Amino acid sequence: MVNNQAEQLDAVFHALADPTRRAMIARLAQAPCGITELAAPFDMTLAAISKHIKVLEGAGLVVRSIQGRNHTCQLDARPMLGGIEWLRHYEQFWNQRLDALTAALLAEDQAADSKTNQ
């Protein structure tokens, strides 16, 4: 199960690493849309767009529904929660380190001020 969670997190970060896919996610956050509409802002072939969509689907970020020849994509942001949790863990780590650095710098400044005032 842990390995599956790690694989899911890897897939989400991989999907979000590409600016085209991030733009697609931003578009889909507004409303579901068809492949052609999703592809419109990009100067690439529909085959290339399809590859990007498959990466997003593989990460679980996009769900595609098919009705006849129409493919509609919809955002599913739930897989991003694992990434948010991972980032929050390291946010706490860095906040603790930065708080310690701030305390050390303040102590150093206070020591320098007390030497100057003597």
Side-chain angles (χ1 to χ4, degrees):
M1 183 160 164
V2 172
N3 191 34
N4 188 32
Q5 290 173 344
E7 289 174 8
Q8 177 69 28
L9 186 60
D10 290 348
V12 168
F13 281 131
H14 171 71
L16 296 175
D18 184 86
T20 300
R21 293 191 288 267
R22 288 193 306 272
M24 289 177 166
I25 292 286
R27 170 58 190 88
L28 291 171
Q30 296 170 5
C33 67
I35 302 289
T36 305
E37 183 182 349
L38 192 57
F42 306 105
D43 185 24
M44 60 180 68
T45 65
L46 284 177
I49 292 294
S50 180
K51 287 181 182 180
H52 282 294
I53 293 170
K54 286 179 183 174
V55 170
L56 292 169
E57 286 178 309
L61 296 169
V62 168
V63 176
R64 186 188 324 212
S65 60
I66 303 170
Q67 291 184 348
R69 297 178 69 190
N70 295 325
H71 292 232
T72 303
C73 294
Q74 182 174 346
L75 176 64
D76 182 355
R78 289 178 295 177
M80 286 190 242
L81 291 175
I84 291 169
E85 290 172 5
W86 187 86
L87 290 169
R88 280 193 182 137
H89 169 77
Y90 286 98
E91 176 186 25
Q92 291 173 349
F93 170 82
W94 283 111
N95 283 337
Q96 291 170 353
R97 298 303 186 271
L98 291 172
D99 289 346
L101 176 61
T102 299
L105 292 173
L106 286 174
E108 188 176 302
D109 282 349
Q110 290 173 349
D113 287 345
S114 68
K115 286 183 182 179
T116 304
N117 291 335
Q118 290 179 356

